[in-house]
Amino acid sequence: MSLTLNNPEKFAKPANISKEKLDKAIKAACDRLAKLIPAFEQAFPGTCSQDFKYVPGENRNWECGMFTGCFWLAYLLSGDEKFKKVAEKHLDTYKWRLDEKIGLNDHDVGFVFTPSCVGGWKACGNEYAKELAIKGAEEMFAHYTPVGKYILHTGYPGGLTSWRIIVDTMMNAPILFWAGKELGREEYTKAAVDHCYKTIENIVREDGSTWHHFQFEAETFKPLHPYSGQGYSLEGCWSRGNSWGVYGFPIAYSYTKNEDFKNVHEKISSYYLNHLPEDYVPYWDFFFTDGSGEERDASAGAIAVCGFNEMAKHIEDGETKTVYENAATLILNSLIEKYANYDNDNADGVLLEVTHTKPGKQGVGECAVYGDYFYFEALARYALKDFKMFW
Ligand code: GLY
């Protein structure tokens, strides 16, 4: 297997981001996050901004984990203790979620506990964060069906359940890889591996594009049909969903060294890279490109930077590694130059032009904390030599 690129020259030239440019981007991102501290020390933005402003609320949804993750990353990038203090203060709200079972009834449990609690453990050796992360992994494991061999979209095996698999879960499975390794729990690792295979079989299409959801028949697990979900249509491909694959499979590969995961990643990456517009930052669905007048999803760019950067670390020198390294740098450079928020105080986000769901008419061309988180992580991957990914 190798990459099949329509336009290999687009990723062939050595790409570079100067230290000065990177430092300026990091400072702007940290300064922007610092402005949120008075209102968000104990509070969390919702799914996305409203008219570009984050509205304070409780730690209840999947995106909250990424908000806390932004503070750990800002601490690592700046060394400024005030960011660490906020992240530490957030931790009790994850205990509350575990005690009260708040928003844990679906596949997104990994998003809640990985950047926040695994992040706190990896960034600062915070034992309390680790304890919470382990409990988060238990919650994640509860959504795995050993008969269907995947992590359910919603609900628990035997309960009131949505028998779907969903591409986003490629980023939730990592908490099982992490806890499986940390605790020696082979059943966690097996569940995550099974989930990756089920994703390969039912979510990844022949050309490397991805469905958002795929429906199985209840109890029999007979494959039924796909759903376009947050994407445009069944002919399109939701770009953030595709980028969950661009990052999820390198994480799976980093834990398992399973060649099937490397190969499927090449297929998904080929599709992703072949559908990037001129400035390397995807529209919200790959059905659209330049001239369409549609909105971008800059978060899909930031997630992919992390995915290409991660996979490049695990493969030998050669054409594929060079393409991943160049693609990551070209996308990040574009985010820094065109999509980062430097001086727009009317917008709370660190990253602009994120589209949560256009079909759902929510957060179209707005800000969202997952966009901010993956932009911070992308910056950390370039600025910090010994950066340990939180996933
Ligand atoms: N639930 C993950 C997403 O909207 O990307």
Side-chain angles (χ1 to χ4, degrees):
M1 195 57 214
S2 59
L3 290 171
T4 42
L5 298 180
N6 298 341
N7 191 357
E9 313 79 62
K10 199 167 169 182
F11 305 98
K13 273 190 258 122
N16 180 45
I17 298 171
S18 71
K19 180 163 177 347
E20 194 191 350
K21 190 190 266 188
L22 190 62
D23 287 348
K24 188 172 163 227
I26 290 167
K27 185 172 174 342
C30 291
D31 288 352
R32 177 68 43 201
L33 190 68
K35 288 190 184 169
L36 297 178
I37 293 178
F40 289 93
E41 205 164 14
Q42 308 268 20
F44 293 79
T47 292
C48 39
S49 61
Q50 289 173 21
D51 292 329
F52 304 98
K53 298 305 262 182
Y54 287 147
V55 180
E58 290 182 314
N59 183 351
R60 287 186 170 270
N61 57 22
W62 67 273
E63 299 86 353
C64 295
M66 274 158 289
F67 189 54
T68 305
C70 286
F71 286 95
W72 293 124
L73 290 171
Y75 169 64
L76 292 179
L77 284 162
S78 66
D80 190 331
E81 292 279 328
K82 69 173 178 275
F83 294 117
K84 185 177 163 192
K85 284 198 184 115
V86 175
E88 285 169 350
K89 274 199 189 145
H90 282 183
L91 290 178
D92 276 340
T93 67
Y94 293 92
K95 173 151 186 350
W96 172 71
R97 284 188 75 155
L98 286 161
D99 291 346
E100 303 298 325
K101 301 265 184 248
I102 306 286
L104 305 181
N105 185 28
D106 66 27
H107 62 282
D108 274 339
V109 171
F111 277 125
V112 176
F113 290 96
T114 306
S116 56
C117 298
V118 182
W121 165 242
K122 290 202 184 174
C124 298
N126 186 310
E127 293 280 350
Y128 180 40
K130 182 182 178 186
E131 206 182 291
L132 296 169
I134 289 169
K135 294 207 172 103
E138 274 168 37
E139 291 289 336
M140 183 86 261
F141 187 61
H143 296 286
Y144 167 72
T145 154
V147 184
K149 292 192 181 339
Y150 68 98
I151 296 163
L152 292 161
H153 168 248
T154 314
Y156 301 92
L160 189 60
T161 286
S162 156
W163 302 99
R164 291 186 193 178
I165 188 170
I166 161 168
V167 70
D168 319 26
T169 312
M170 279 307 301
M171 293 301 291
N172 288 292
I175 198 164
L176 294 178
F177 281 125
W178 170 77
K181 187 174 169 205
E182 194 71 33
L183 306 173
R185 299 273 304 255
E186 278 171 30
E187 71 276 27
Y188 283 9
T189 308
K190 183 186 174 306
V193 168
D194 283 352
H195 184 83
C196 292
Y197 274 109
K198 213 40 133 190
T199 302
I200 294 171
E201 286 161 25
N202 295 283
I203 289 283
V204 183
R205 293 184 253 177
E206 204 34 55
D207 64 355
S209 60
T210 40
W211 309 119
H212 187 183
H213 299 214
F214 194 93
Q215 183 73 38
F216 294 94
E217 192 173 82
E219 313 293 349
T220 68
F221 296 100
K222 195 176 121 201
L224 291 177
H225 55 82
Y227 284 98
S228 56
Q230 279 161 249
Y232 171 64
S233 72
L234 291 178
E235 289 94 76
C237 171
W238 178 45
S239 61
R240 190 163 69 256
N242 201 248
S243 71
W244 294 137
V246 168
Y247 194 11
F249 282 103
I251 298 171
Y253 184 77
S254 75
Y255 283 98
T256 60
K257 302 292 179 283
N258 181 325
E259 290 294 301
D260 292 340
F261 300 162
K262 189 164 96 177
N263 290 338
V264 76
H265 181 255
E266 283 181 3
K267 193 158 140 179
I268 298 171
S269 298
S270 298
Y271 181 88
Y272 184 99
L273 296 171
N274 284 336
H275 288 79
L276 285 181
E278 193 63 31
D279 77 354
Y280 300 95
V281 173
Y283 289 85
W284 66 274
D285 192 293
F286 282 126
F287 189 82
F288 304 111
T289 190
D290 293 330
S292 63
E294 290 290 323
E295 292 80 7
R296 308 284 177 148
D297 183 358
S299 76
I303 297 159
V305 172
C306 299
F308 292 131
N309 177 274
E310 183 59 29
M311 199 47 136
K313 291 184 181 169
H314 299 285
I315 57 179
E316 311 235 313
D317 287 350
E319 203 187 323
T320 304
K321 186 181 176 100
T322 304
V323 168
Y324 289 161
E325 285 173 346
N326 287 348
T329 307
L330 289 161
I331 300 167
L332 180 57
N333 187 53
S334 188
L335 294 175
I336 290 173
E337 286 187 352
K338 288 183 62 186
Y339 297 87
N341 184 3
Y342 290 88
D343 48 19
N344 178 1
D345 285 330
N346 293 321
D348 280 343
V350 167
L351 190 66
L352 304 170
E353 301 196 42
V354 172
T355 293
H356 181 64
T357 165
K358 185 132 182 191
K361 299 187 178 56
Q362 191 187 13
V364 178
E366 286 267 347
C367 306
V369 290
Y370 49 86
D372 297 345
Y373 172 83
F374 285 99
Y375 179 62
F376 264 116
E377 185 181 323
L379 295 173
R381 283 175 172 272
Y382 277 70
L384 305 174
K385 241 199 187 144
D386 303 319
F387 176 68
K388 283 188 257 159
M389 70 168 177
F390 293 176
W391 304 93

